[in-house]
């Protein structure tokens, strides 16, 4: 979940195999880790964000 001013998003990431192939390991996604996520709102659920890019621990990963 991502907290932004005025809203909490559920960030939907790419499948684990795609994230790993792009350099984002499951160990990078820890509770409380600071991340910047770029994406777009889901058409099906206004609480969900489809992540396209994530920056965490100083590295940026394209998830498309």
């Amino acid at each position: 979940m991502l907290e932004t001013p005025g809203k909490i998003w559920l960030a939907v990431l790419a499948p684990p195999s795609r994230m790993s192939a792009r350099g984002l390991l499951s160990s990078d996604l820890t509770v409380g880790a600071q991340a910047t996520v770029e994406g777009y709102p889901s058409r099906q659920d206004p609480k969900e964000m489809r992540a396209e890019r994530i920056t965490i621990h100083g590295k940026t990963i394209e998830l498309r």
Side-chain angles (χ1 to χ4, degrees):
M1 300 191 54
L2 299 170
E3 293 183 37
T4 61
K7 188 162 187 170
I8 295 177
W9 293 92
L10 174 61
V12 178
L13 301 175
S17 60
R18 187 180 315 154
M19 291 191 315
S20 179
R22 302 265 195 293
L24 181 63
L25 305 176
S26 60
S27 60
D28 292 329
L29 301 172
T30 57
V31 173
Q34 296 289 316
T36 300
V37 179
E38 296 176 54
Y40 56 93
S42 168
R43 291 182 184 173
Q44 288 80 27
D45 187 341
K47 296 176 286 192
E48 286 187 356
M49 167 198 233
R50 303 296 174 164
E52 293 285 322
R53 179 178 304 113
I54 184 169
T55 302
I56 191 165
H57 304 299
K59 62 182 176 180
T60 299
I61 298 96
E62 298 287 333
L63 300 175
R64 317 179 218 174

